[in-house]
Amino acid sequence: MRYSKQKYSFALKSIVMGLALTMLFGCKNKLSEVYGDVEELSLPDIQYYDAVFQQTDSGILQAKIIAPKADRYLGDSGKIVLPQRFDIYFYEKDGLAKGKLSADYGLQEDDSDKTEAQGNVVLISFEDSTKLYTERLIWDKKKRRIFSPVDVKVVTPDQVAYGDSLEASDDLKDREIFGFKSEIEFEEQKNDSTQVAE
């Protein structure tokens, strides 16, 4: 009786071990063969929380990026990814803030002078309160220009304009709306205090 229990136990262990080895070494397909083109999982090399980055040119502050989280990737394709809503403040040469950009997602590649913003993008000019609304915006920090290849809405104190795309200076002063759709103008309300109520 004892011999059969040992034989049964040995057989059971052999079967389990055989199945384990089959599962371990039996699958020879690569992930790409099973799932198609799969990008390699890429984790950031450095993560920043409550980050503040300053971009300067010859020691003069051009922009300040404030983000709750920033992911830094090093290597050949170095970049900074801003995966949560962030703000960029733009500065004049005299150091005064001239505008603010906010978006849900941002990307700055190391080998490029361009920063891309996506998702609920809002750019505000502090000088004249002009606002730009779009879903995608590219800022060329070297040229101090912005580009939006998708629908835009520009709101000024006296009008609202819509278009398919836009190119402008980063302070929104010099702007051109392409694929112009419509414009709404507001009349100024005149407050005539010389009239007497009867």
Side-chain angles (χ1 to χ4, degrees):
M1 202 75 145
R2 183 166 177 79
Y3 180 70
S4 65
K5 273 189 172 180
Q6 286 179 341
K7 196 175 187 183
Y8 175 75
S9 175
F10 178 75
L12 185 59
K13 286 179 185 177
S14 296
I15 291 171
V16 170
M17 186 60 95
L19 287 173
L21 288 173
T22 302
M23 289 182 356
L24 184 62
F25 296 108
C27 184
K28 294 191 179 196
N29 291 345
K30 295 180 181 175
L31 280 178
S32 60
E33 292 174 3
V34 175
Y35 295 108
D37 290 334
V38 176
E39 286 188 32
E40 185 177 320
L41 179 62
S42 179
L43 297 174
D45 295 298
I46 303 169
Q47 288 187 314
Y48 303 95
Y49 293 93
D50 299 322
V52 177
F53 300 101
Q54 293 185 353
Q55 294 183 345
T56 60
D57 184 17
S58 302
I60 298 172
L61 181 64
Q62 282 190 316
K64 184 186 294 183
I65 301 171
I66 301 171
K69 182 180 178 197
D71 295 334
R72 178 79 166 114
Y73 296 84
L74 303 172
D76 293 338
S77 60
K79 61 188 173 189
I80 294 176
V81 175
L82 306 170
Q84 297 175 1
R85 189 138 188 97
F86 66 94
D87 298 316
I88 299 178
Y89 290 88
F90 300 101
Y91 291 87
E92 296 282 357
K93 290 182 181 180
D94 60 7
L96 295 175
K98 66 178 182 175
K100 175 184 168 186
L101 169 73
S102 299
D104 293 337
Y105 173 86
L107 173 65
Q108 167 69 57
E109 295 190 19
D110 288 349
D111 60 354
S112 173
D113 290 326
K114 296 178 181 164
T115 300
E116 184 170 342
Q118 295 180 11
N120 299 311
V121 180
V122 180
L123 177 61
I124 302 169
S125 170
F126 293 154
E127 186 176 326
D128 62 0
S129 300
T130 299
K131 294 179 182 137
L132 166 67
Y133 299 91
T134 187
E135 286 299 312
R136 183 170 177 232
L137 186 87
I138 300 161
W139 173 52
D140 187 327
K141 69 178 180 179
K142 199 75 126 188
K143 296 178 182 176
R144 301 194 67 112
R145 304 283 298 166
I146 59 167
F147 310 91
S148 179
V150 298
D151 288 346
V152 295
K153 173 181 165 184
V154 178
V155 180
T156 65
D158 58 348
Q159 68 181 7
V160 177
Y162 297 88
D164 291 334
S165 57
L166 170 133
E167 180 177 341
S169 57
D170 61 8
D171 60 5
L172 291 174
K173 286 182 183 175
D174 173 33
R175 64 181 173 268
E176 185 173 358
I177 298 174
F178 301 100
F180 190 75
K181 293 181 180 178
S182 67
E183 179 176 46
I184 303 168
E185 292 191 24
F186 305 115
E187 286 187 33
E188 287 186 37
Q189 293 182 354
K190 295 186 179 186
N191 186 6
D192 191 357
S193 58
T194 59
Q195 292 180 348
V196 179
E198 294 182 22

